[in-house]
Amino acid sequence: MTDRYTIHSQLEHLQSKYIGTGHADTTKWEWLVNQHRDSYCSYMGHFDLLNYFAIAENESKARVRFNLMEKMLQPCGPPVDKPDEA
């Protein structure tokens, strides 16, 4: 029983510390948004990967970085309307 409690408390600590790990109430849309934003940040942070995208798209590195930052605003479209629970 103690192991189960410590694992649960460790999971809660990770979820409160890192946004991308989610929690029990995380929707599919929120999880996908976190995944897309993490991916875009990783692409911008790795210089060689950014160079690869720039060559593949025949764009400048600054334009590729700008496009990735634009995609980070709403990577999965507008949020889904939640049904009202009464």
Side-chain angles (χ1 to χ4, degrees):
M1 183 70 175
T2 306
D3 292 336
R4 188 180 299 174
Y5 176 72
T6 57
I7 290 172
H8 185 65
S9 65
Q10 288 174 353
L11 183 61
E12 284 180 349
H13 175 71
L14 284 174
Q15 290 170 344
S16 67
K17 189 174 180 182
Y18 301 108
I19 295 171
T21 56
H23 50 81
D25 297 326
T26 301
T27 64
K28 181 179 177 182
W29 182 83
E30 292 171 336
W31 185 80
L32 285 171
V33 166
N34 284 332
Q35 292 294 317
H36 280 85
R37 286 184 178 154
D38 287 346
S39 297
Y40 294 147
C41 285
S42 178
Y43 300 156
M44 286 190 293
H46 290 91
F47 187 70
D48 292 333
L49 201 51
L50 193 65
N51 285 339
Y52 175 76
F53 288 148
I55 291 170
E57 295 177 5
N58 196 24
E59 294 281 351
S60 67
K61 289 181 276 189
R63 175 56 66 181
V64 171
R65 182 176 280 125
F66 177 78
N67 288 341
L68 289 173
M69 289 178 82
E70 285 286 316
K71 288 180 185 179
M72 286 177 65
L73 292 176
Q74 284 190 337
C76 298
V80 179
D81 294 333
K82 294 180 181 178
D84 294 334
E85 294 182 21

